Amino acid sequence: MKSSAISLHYRNGDQDYLLNLIDSPGHIDFSSEVSTAVRLCDGAIIVVDAVEGVCPQTQAVLRQAWLENIRPVLVINKIDRLILELKLTSQEAYSHLQKILEQVNAVTGTLFTSKVMEERAEKEKKEVEEEKESKILSGDQVYDWSAGLEEADDSQLYFSPDQGNVVFASAIDGWGFSIQQFAHIYSQKMGIKAEVLLKTLWGDFYLNAKAKKIMKGAQAKGKKQLFVQLVLDNLWSLYDAVVTRRDKEKVEKVIASLGVKVLARDSRHSDPKVLLSAICSQWLPLAQAVLSMVCEKLPSPIDMTAERVEKLMSVGPRRFDSLPEQTQELKRAFLQCSSGENDPLIIFVSKMFAVDTKALPQNRQRPLTQEEIAQRRELARQRHADRMAADQTAAESRSQEGQPAGCDSAKMEGLTLKDSQPEEEEQQTFVAFARVYSGVAKKGRRVFVLGPKYDPARGLSMMPEGSSAWDRVPAVPHLSVCSMDSLYLLMGRELEELDEVPVGNVLGISGLEECVLKSATLSTSPACPPFIPLNFEATPILRVAIEPKHPSEMPKLVRGMRLLNQADPCAEILIQETGEHVLVTAGEVHLQRCLDDLRKRFAKIEISASKPIIPFRETVVRPPKVDMVNEDLGKQHKVAIIHQVKEEASQGRPSDTLHVDHSGLVTLTTPNRLATVSVRAIPLPQEVTCLLESSTELIRTLEQVNMSLREGKSLDVSPRTLEAITGLKAQLESLLQGRKWRNAVEHIWAFGPRRYGPNILLNLVEGYQRPSLWQCLGRGDQSGEAGAQAACMRDLDNSIVSGFQLATLSGPMCEEPLMGVCFSVERWDIQSAALPQHQDSLEEDSLEEDSMSHGALTDSGVEGSIETWTAGPCQARRRTQAASADCYGPVSGQLIAAMKEACRHAFQAQPQRLMAAIYTCEIMATAEVLGRVYGVLGKREGRVLHEEMKEGTDMFIIKAVLPVAESFGFADEIRKRTSGLASPQLVFSHWEVNIIYGDTLLEGECIRLT
């Protein structure tokens, strides 16, 4: 279940073409293989089943092709099933094919509409800004409600047979055709122009035999469409004669009229499909139809659009025009497909795949010539004669001494056998699956390997001008140098060694396993930026713990898992705190494939895998106001919190450092009594959680921009990124409405876990005006005061954020990440003793003058001078050095731990719930097994969302949701219960509160989930 490539030479008309064809698996679990293939291609062949129609994987593939800006063509396969299985008439089959085309075009149209709407919104925004600047309002136009779709050109977007981007096929019977072929055939027979037939063969047109005209309105007049009359009827009659009736006379007439040659062996074969394949493969060859469409409709590498080049080279938030000039000049090399000696070499590696070392061309045994065979035969004869003579001499000498003749020879034979057959372990060599975008790749050439975080501006500034990969270059972050040891032409399972590969081709490269983990960008120019990361549709969610059967083989397992991690683009390898090795995969089929690879290829040992570990998320919900008997829960809730604090105090935790009030506000003091934080946990609205989860990449980009601003670096952010950030902020403001969320968006401190998760940290500390998280949207308006406060608060500010990140990474219920929780920091006090004292007396005096005494802490009983973070600019500048000196000191560490514990206690003070991972399940089943499907779904806690019947068939499409925890063995059980008549497709959808983890935790109960 891996994508494989092959290079094909095809002659179309007078031109020769070299086609690089990559075949990727169709199962939804292996959509990561599609992602790695799509990046290297200029076009895509979308194959759709004529019976099943558009499946989830079809939608995923179309979306991936759209995101990579590559042009797709369509092949509707398995049309023979419409004839033999569904028993449709040619007219019914035509209607069915029309609906499939409408479904595919609907998916494409949705993607196109969203893009046009985005561009329209950008245009409107610019017009509004220009209007404000000029302050000229048009009196004629009041409101423009057009969406921009009327002006957008979508003529080349949709699939239509008359455009030549659709092929109808039956791969199992070896035939396929586009309407261009039939237009050419009938133009010669009927004397009608091929251009006219091309426009009318597909659509509501019919042939008026009396008037000898092609007329419109076939459906209204009850006539057969031209496509049915001239194309489908012929196919249906051929299948009827060959497969259904086996009419020999009619078959002979068909063979004679088509002018094809059929072997006597094929015509006498007991299987009629053999004869059918022999006729159709000559009449309508599948390869010719598909490859002709590829050559005519898909672009060549030299036709790559400038938009796609800029998108590939614009990593993160940076604009393309903000990249260095040398980097922008590389765009010309991309567009021109430059292949000169001095042109820069640019290669993208989409994945690494493992090959047995013996299978490499240089290690493969080549066939011997006749001379070599004769020489070896002569040498073998001579050795045999020498051996026989030596054995005879040894036997005579031993017989004279009285020793048995066969003893020593047997020992020597055994030794020879042992020496000649050493135990050789099959080694794996990694070959990079790559494409040349510019220049010529040559064997042995040294190149720069650019990591995903490589910055070309920084690299050019650190390296001498004109330096190459052959020079000794200084250490540059995320840049390494390696040599391309061998280049290979990919021919399915076979590899052919090459000395050089020109631009635009797909190739294999060996010698990169030490420098490239999964994907990378290679170039001879340090000005080249790394390409944007791959878009993976599948989410790794299924985990198993793996251990060897024999503990002594643990090193082999570790090595095998490292190789598997490098060979599979979607699999993840984790090592838990307990020391367990965990494998994370996209689904059950993907998991089985990974385990088989570990056993047979990479580790080559017996392994045992645990039952799948189900991922959960922890969250809090709004507390209920009444219980099951409609009694008020307010008093019970307060009593439960007080009871919890007393119980924890009795277990040895000092209660004077922790205080929980009835509203759920948790106040915690550090063990050294120098800092105090007060935190409250609030459940986020579901819409906000979904928005944050879908905007992880944008939030990560926002964090990168803020980090650059904090470090004082200038970063030119692309207008599209700024607009997306503005849109995210506006959406949050519209969703966070109400009294308790007033100005909450402006007070967002951080997101978590990992700084881009679906949890929020709010800054509600009175008097602490830290720089806004959205400062990149209005950098020019910031004053020096905000910058000074940021410098002062940076170190201890990071301690609060780090504690929040740790708390959201592993919750208190079962150490799973939190989701949909907002933590608001409402108090943050720190004593002046927490800051290190310096020898400078003037600085000490100024610190004493500026410090603000707030008396004793009422909650903890600690007396002394407390400093709240309300420092002015002067004071902030004085404290910068002192605060930074304690960045990694005991106060910082204890503050992180205190913040983490405060968040966990605030979480536990609210009603807690576990969120379960949910699959979306799509099942196709016949009417007679529908009840059994519902039975399996009900048994596994699935919920049916809706069902619909496919028109013209007895098939039902059922859409349901199913917890991931109940999905193991689900596909096998459905197939067994329905005798193979139903097959499900599972795709990860969302998280939902599915397991109720009761509020009894407040009373001290604990549940362990395994």
Side-chain angles (χ1 to χ4, degrees), residues 162-194:
D162 55 1
Q163 290 186 9
N165 57 4
V166 179
V167 162
F168 304 94
S170 171
I172 196 169
D173 292 334
W175 59 266
F177 66 88
S178 62
I179 63 170
Q180 279 83 350
Q181 291 173 262
F182 277 96
H184 180 68
I185 292 169
Y186 283 110
S187 67
Q188 295 174 348
K189 285 187 177 183
M190 302 169 66
I192 303 174
K193 290 182 180 179

Side-chain angles (χ1 to χ4, degrees), residues 393-640:
T393 308
E396 289 173 0
S397 63
R398 286 195 194 93
S399 61
Q400 292 174 2
E401 295 173 5
Q403 291 181 358
C407 181
D408 288 346
S409 62
K411 287 181 182 176
M412 289 298 294
E413 245 178 85
L415 287 172
T416 310
L417 281 172
K418 283 181 183 176
D419 292 342
S420 63
Q421 295 178 355
E423 291 184 2
E424 288 188 6
E425 217 178 283
E426 289 185 8
Q427 292 185 348
Q428 300 287 331
T429 300
F430 277 95
V431 176
F433 192 56
R435 172 184 166 172
V436 184
Y437 282 90
S438 171
V440 179
K442 295 183 179 179
K443 182 179 177 180
R445 191 171 186 178
R446 290 176 66 82
V447 291
F448 295 113
V449 180
L450 314 174
K453 294 184 179 178
Y454 173 71
D455 184 3
R458 188 176 180 187
L460 289 171
S461 64
M462 295 179 68
M463 296 174 66
E465 190 174 348
S467 58
S468 68
W470 293 100
D471 304 328
R472 292 190 64 183
V473 295
V476 178
H478 311 292
L479 177 77
S480 58
V481 179
C482 71
S483 175
M484 298 187 292
D485 294 343
S486 299
L487 305 179
Y488 302 110
L489 178 69
L490 304 175
M491 299 294 292
R493 294 183 180 179
E494 302 295 325
L495 299 174
E496 300 295 334
E497 195 167 11
L498 300 172
D499 290 329
E500 62 179 38
V501 178
V503 63
N505 284 288
V506 175
L507 77 159
I509 310 171
S510 68
L512 304 180
E513 59 264 23
E514 297 298 326
C515 301
V516 179
L517 179 62
K518 295 195 178 189
S519 63
T521 308
L522 314 179
S523 179
T524 53
S525 169
C528 179
F531 283 17
I532 59 172
L534 297 168
N535 297 302
F536 288 121
E537 287 285 328
T539 307
I541 196 171
L542 201 60
R543 309 186 214 173
V544 290
I546 296 175
E547 61 183 10
K549 284 278 181 72
H550 307 289
S552 60
E553 293 178 330
M554 179 59 81
K556 290 185 179 179
L557 176 65
V558 172
R559 179 179 174 275
M561 293 189 79
R562 182 177 60 81
L563 295 176
L564 175 65
N565 184 43
Q566 192 168 15
D568 196 303
C570 190
E572 294 178 3
I573 306 297
L574 307 174
I575 299 178
Q576 303 283 52
E577 293 178 357
T578 56
E580 282 183 316
H581 289 76
V582 176
L583 172 64
V584 191
T585 58
E588 204 170 356
V589 181
H590 187 209
L591 171 64
Q592 193 57 48
R593 210 280 317 275
C594 289
L595 292 177
D596 288 344
D597 282 351
L598 262 182
R599 290 189 183 102
K600 297 174 183 176
R601 297 187 64 189
F602 300 129
K604 295 179 183 173
I605 59 171
E606 288 295 318
I607 60 173
S608 59
S610 69
K611 289 183 179 179
I613 304 166
I614 313 302
F616 289 98
R617 294 292 182 267
E618 302 182 23
T619 190
V620 293
V621 295
R622 295 180 65 183
K625 301 205 174 164
V626 294
D627 62 9
M628 288 187 292
V629 291
N630 289 334
E631 290 186 2
D632 187 18
L633 281 178
K635 189 175 179 182
Q636 295 179 26
H637 193 60
K638 296 174 190 176
V639 170

Side-chain angles (χ1 to χ4, degrees), residues 802-813:
S802 298
F804 163 72
Q805 301 295 341
L806 291 172
T808 52
L809 189 60
S810 58
M813 295 165 68

Side-chain angles (χ1 to χ4, degrees), residues 752-876:
R754 300 186 180 92
R755 295 184 180 268
Y756 56 85
N759 302 285
I760 293 176
L761 179 66
L762 284 185
N763 169 30
L764 297 182
V765 181
E766 189 177 351
Y768 177 30
Q769 301 295 329
R770 69 186 305 278
S772 171
L773 186 78
W774 316 99
Q775 57 183 322
C776 61
L777 301 178
R779 293 201 302 270
D781 301 333
Q782 289 184 359
S783 60
E785 183 178 348
Q789 287 186 355
C792 170
M793 294 307 304
R794 182 180 60 196
D795 301 318
L796 293 173
D797 184 285
N798 280 341
S799 300
I800 295 290
V801 174
S802 298
F804 163 72
Q805 301 295 341
L806 291 172
T808 52
L809 189 60
S810 58
M813 295 165 68
C814 50
E815 301 300 324
E816 292 285 350
L818 303 190
M819 187 173 186
V821 185
C822 172
F823 292 103
S824 64
V825 182
E826 301 186 4
R827 179 183 173 189
W828 177 22
D829 299 337
I830 188 165
Q831 291 193 39
S832 57
L835 296 174
Q837 300 296 323
H838 290 261
Q839 298 299 323
D840 190 351
S841 59
L842 292 174
E843 187 173 332
E844 288 178 2
D845 292 341
S846 62
L847 282 171
E848 287 173 6
E849 288 171 8
D850 293 336
S851 63
M852 298 176 66
S853 177
H854 291 273
L857 278 174
T858 56
D859 294 332
S860 60
V862 180
E863 296 182 359
S865 176
I866 307 294
E867 290 192 7
T868 57
W869 293 105
T870 56
C874 261
Q875 190 177 354

